[in-house]
Amino acid sequence: RLVTTPLPEPVPDTTTPELDALETETRTLIDRHLDDARDVAATTVASPVEVTRRNSRLVDRLRQARAAIIDTAMGAVRRAVPLGARDAAREAPPPAGTEVRYVPDDVDVHRATDGIDLRNDVSFIISSQGLRVEINPPGRRREEALEVVEQTLARIHNVTTTGIHRAYNRGRQWYAALFAYDLKWFTRVDERTCPRCRPMHGRVIASKERFSLREPDWEGFDGLPPLHFRCRCYTEVVRRRLFGGEG
C-alpha cells in the first residue's frame, strides 16, 4: 500500500527542534575534542624542521582525540532513539487506556542502534587525515595545518549527524510498531531539498516495513531515512485510519 501527498510549501526548518539541538551539541563537543590538535596546528613555525615536528604533533593530537570523539558520537546516537520515540508519541498518541511503556529502555535502544556503529567511521577519518599530513604535509602557513583540523571536524560531523538521524528514525519506528501505526516519509522542503528526497515525501508504509527504492545510490540506506549523508528527512508516525484504512 502506497500513499503519496503533495510536497508542502517551504517552511522554516524547525520541525524537530530537540533533534537539531542534539546535533548542534554533538558538533560542539566534537569540536572541543579537537582543540588540542587545533592549538598545535596554529603554532608558528619558521624552519622545515619545526614544520615537521608540528605536523607530527598534529597527527598525534588527532589520534589522541579519537576515543573521546567516538564516545561522544555513540552517546548521541543512543540519545536519539528515545528522542525519536517521544516525538512520535506527540504526533500520534497511544490509544486511549493504553498502559504499554512507550519510551524505549536500554535494551530497546541497543537493539535499535544495532548496526549504527560510528567507531570505524571515526577511526577511518582520523587515520586518513593523518595519512594526508604524511603524504602532503602542511607547510609553514598555519592556515594549511588548521585546514586539516577543520576538514576532520567536517567529515566526522557528516557521519555523526547521519548516524544520529538514523537512530532517531529507528526510535520513531520502534514506537509505531507498538501500536501498529504507519510511517510517513517527511521531506523538509527548502532551498536545500535534494532531488533524491523530494519524490519520497508523503509515502506511507506499515511500521514493520521498509521504504523501497529502485536504484538507491547510497549503500547506507536501510529502508528508513536518512537517504544519504546529512539527509534531513524523517518519518512521521500516523494512525492508519487517517488514510482511510483500519481504525
Side-chain angles (χ1 to χ4, degrees), residues 208-226:
K208 295 185 180 296
E209 296 177 348
R210 288 288 191 275
F211 292 96
S212 60
L213 290 174
R214 290 184 178 180
E215 297 180 1
D217 56 1
W218 181 49
E219 62 181 10
F221 179 62
D222 63 359
L224 292 173

Side-chain angles (χ1 to χ4, degrees), residues 99-158:
E99 297 182 358
V100 174
R101 172 182 54 81
Y102 56 90
V103 175
D105 59 20
D106 290 344
V107 175
D108 298 320
V109 170
H110 178 75
R111 291 172 178 168
T113 56
D114 182 42
I116 309 178
D117 190 346
L118 304 182
R119 295 177 181 85
N120 290 337
D121 292 328
V122 172
S123 295
F124 174 78
I125 290 170
I126 290 178
S127 296
S128 63
Q129 290 297 97
L131 186 62
R132 171 193 169 184
V133 172
E134 293 173 358
I135 294 176
N136 187 24
R140 295 182 183 181
R141 295 176 61 250
R142 66 178 66 185
E143 290 79 9
E144 295 178 22
L146 286 170
E147 181 185 356
V148 173
V149 179
E150 299 312 315
Q151 186 181 71
T152 302
L153 172 63
R155 293 179 63 187
I156 292 175
H157 180 59
N158 191 23

Side-chain angles (χ1 to χ4, degrees), residues 18 32 38 47 55 58 83 128 146 172 191 201 212:
E18 293 181 82
R32 290 175 185 170
R38 192 174 287 107
S47 68
N55 290 343
L58 174 58
L83 186 60
S128 63
L146 286 170
R172 283 175 166 270
E191 69 280 358
H201 179 76
S212 60

Side-chain angles (χ1 to χ4, degrees), residues 31-247:
D31 185 62
R32 290 175 185 170
H33 295 323
L34 291 170
D35 276 348
D36 286 347
R38 192 174 287 107
D39 289 343
V40 169
T43 301
T44 300
V45 293
S47 68
V49 172
E50 290 177 340
V51 170
T52 300
R53 290 174 178 171
R54 181 206 59 194
N55 290 343
S56 178
R57 291 198 305 273
L58 174 58
V59 173
D60 287 341
R61 295 299 186 276
L62 289 175
R63 291 170 178 167
Q64 289 170 11
R66 176 167 45 201
I69 291 174
I70 288 174
D71 286 345
T72 295
M74 293 306 300
V77 164
R78 289 188 289 269
R79 288 170 59 191
V81 176
L83 186 60
R86 288 196 298 270
D87 280 357
R90 284 193 286 265
E91 292 173 357
T98 299
E99 297 182 358
V100 174
R101 172 182 54 81
Y102 56 90
V103 175
D105 59 20
D106 290 344
V107 175
D108 298 320
V109 170
H110 178 75
R111 291 172 178 168
T113 56
D114 182 42
I116 309 178
D117 190 346
L118 304 182
R119 295 177 181 85
N120 290 337
D121 292 328
V122 172
S123 295
F124 174 78
I125 290 170
I126 290 178
S127 296
S128 63
Q129 290 297 97
L131 186 62
R132 171 193 169 184
V133 172
E134 293 173 358
I135 294 176
N136 187 24
R140 295 182 183 181
R141 295 176 61 250
R142 66 178 66 185
E143 290 79 9
E144 295 178 22
L146 286 170
E147 181 185 356
V148 173
V149 179
E150 299 312 315
Q151 186 181 71
T152 302
L153 172 63
R155 293 179 63 187
I156 292 175
H157 180 59
N158 191 23
V159 299
T160 301
T161 298
T162 304
I164 290 172
H165 281 245
R166 174 173 286 170
Y168 177 80
N169 281 288
R170 289 190 179 181
R172 283 175 166 270
Q173 183 194 36
W174 175 88
Y175 173 83
L178 292 177
F179 310 109
Y181 288 167
D182 289 344
L183 297 172
K184 182 172 72 170
W185 190 290
F186 183 88
T187 298
R188 304 196 197 197
V189 182
D190 54 27
E191 69 280 358
R192 295 166 55 194
T193 305
C194 76
R196 288 170 289 179
C197 296
R198 184 173 290 273
M200 296 297 292
H201 179 76
R203 294 188 181 184
V204 179
I205 60 172
S207 58
K208 295 185 180 296
E209 296 177 348
R210 288 288 191 275
F211 292 96
S212 60
L213 290 174
R214 290 184 178 180
E215 297 180 1
D217 56 1
W218 181 49
E219 62 181 10
F221 179 62
D222 63 359
L224 292 173
L227 184 56
H228 52 80
F229 281 113
R230 299 296 297 278
C231 177
R232 299 173 299 142
C233 296
Y234 65 91
T235 53
E236 290 182 312
V237 176
V238 294
R239 297 174 185 268
R240 191 166 299 178
R241 60 181 175 80
L242 294 178
F243 296 92
E246 299 175 1

